[in-house]
Amino acid sequence: MTATYLGIKGTRGTQAFLPNTFPVGAVNPCSTCPTGFEYLTSNGNSTRESGTFQLRRRLHAGFSATAQYTFSKSIDDAALGGRGQGGSVIAQNWLDLSAERALSTFDQRHLLNLQMQYSTGMGLGGGTLLSGWKAAAFKEWTVTSQITAGSGLPLTPVYLAAVSGTGVTGSIRPDYTGTSVYAAPSGLFLNPAAYVAPAAGHWGNAGRDSITGPGQFQLNASLGRTFRYGDRLNLDFRIDATNALNHVVFPSWNTTVGSAQFGLPMTANPMRSLQTTLRLRF
């Protein structure tokens, strides 16, 4: 067993905001100030701490396995959200960038990876003494599987309205009513009553990345064997299955307040896929 701690501190991360903007219903504090542009600074900060526990069984009697569990938390107030997150996150209130400090977009509190491999015909209990047609049929098959399970990624509630003077949508958040967002009515995964439109003249008080998305799960597997003919002729046979259980997993939910789709899945993971490979080597 191996236990590992990792701590990361990031500075000078990119922040994006819209200068001289104000909430709907408020009086424009500076009608002559320029608007309609995005400003970038490098004042963002981030922290990530994680603990990883790995348990590994070395190959014995044809079986080997590795289980790895990671418990982590990542917080930032930067715009880009982290690795592979695509477009920038624009701050809601340009005068209060500290309000953007929240869980990172890629934060995943719990993550479990399990890898297993078994080869037939190894060890006394696995048939190493088999001979004849039984040995030819059952020996040297290798089965592998990989299971990935984790908690959901953070999602941000959005009030879809244009920021005054910019035409930018998606940066305004709603007001949180105090009702549990997870006490969803039948047919939904999130509770629409948890959010309302921001009060006139105020920015929404719902936090960025304050919703925990759906849990993640995937099982991949493969089966293969090499058939040998003489000293130089080998035939490789392999079947690979992605999402072998054909288990439906939703990467995220719709979090746009006021949308008829609020609280419903936006998409689903790919269905089961099988690939067969046959290769002759000589």
Side-chain angles (χ1 to χ4, degrees):
M1 183 180 74
T2 303
T4 305
Y5 165 79
L6 176 64
I8 300 175
K9 177 67 173 71
T11 58
R12 300 188 184 278
T14 305
Q15 290 180 313
F17 56 88
L18 304 170
N20 305 318
T21 54
F22 55 94
V24 175
V27 177
N28 188 346
C30 182
S31 58
T32 60
C33 293
T35 59
F37 63 99
E38 180 181 324
Y39 194 83
L40 297 177
T41 66
S42 56
N43 297 323
N45 290 275
S46 64
T47 60
R48 184 179 187 271
E49 297 183 83
S50 66
T52 300
F53 301 89
Q54 184 185 84
L55 184 63
R56 182 164 62 97
R57 173 193 165 99
R58 294 185 175 90
L59 183 65
H60 177 70
F63 179 73
S64 66
T66 301
Q68 179 172 294
Y69 168 73
T70 301
F71 178 77
S72 65
K73 186 174 184 179
S74 180
I75 298 175
D76 68 54
D77 59 5
L80 300 183
R83 299 164 294 182
Q85 298 303 308
S88 64
V89 177
I90 300 176
Q92 177 181 234
N93 182 0
W94 70 288
L95 296 176
D96 187 13
L97 297 182
S98 62
E100 302 302 307
R101 186 168 181 82
L103 295 176
S104 301
T105 308
F106 58 86
D107 177 75
Q108 192 170 27
R109 195 61 45 85
H110 307 279
L111 180 62
L112 174 66
N113 287 289
L114 179 61
Q115 296 179 337
M116 296 176 288
Q117 176 178 309
Y118 178 68
S119 296
T120 61
M122 298 182 68
L124 293 178
T128 189
L129 299 180
L130 286 176
S131 60
W133 69 268
K134 290 184 179 180
F138 296 109
K139 279 187 175 182
E140 298 184 359
W141 289 96
T142 298
V143 181
T144 62
S145 65
Q146 179 178 356
I147 298 175
T148 302
S151 53
L153 297 173
L155 303 173
T156 299
V158 175
Y159 181 70
L160 201 61
V163 180
S164 300
T166 67
V168 174
T169 59
S171 64
I172 299 177
R173 299 190 289 272
D175 278 342
Y176 178 54
T177 64
T179 303
S180 173
V181 67
Y182 305 110
S186 178
L188 298 177
F189 292 93
L190 299 176
N191 186 6
Y195 302 105
V196 294
H202 298 275
W203 299 108
N205 61 17
R208 179 176 75 90
D209 286 341
S210 56
I211 300 174
T212 301
Q216 303 300 300
F217 176 86
Q218 180 149 328
L219 187 152
N220 301 328
S222 67
L223 171 68
R225 180 180 174 180
T226 297
F227 298 90
R228 297 176 178 84
Y229 302 93
D231 296 331
R232 301 184 59 183
L233 200 61
N234 296 279
L235 182 65
D236 298 327
F237 172 75
R238 183 181 177 94
I239 298 177
D240 295 286
T242 303
N243 189 12
L245 299 179
N246 207 29
H247 180 67
V248 178
V249 174
F250 304 118
S252 63
W253 298 311
N254 187 308
T255 58
T256 302
V257 174
S259 169
Q261 304 298 317
F262 180 86
L264 292 176
M266 298 184 65
T267 184
N269 66 339
M271 63 189 300
R272 177 171 51 218
S273 174
L274 296 176
Q275 177 177 305
T276 303
T277 303
L278 194 64
R279 181 176 61 180
L280 179 64
R281 293 182 289 120
F282 56 90

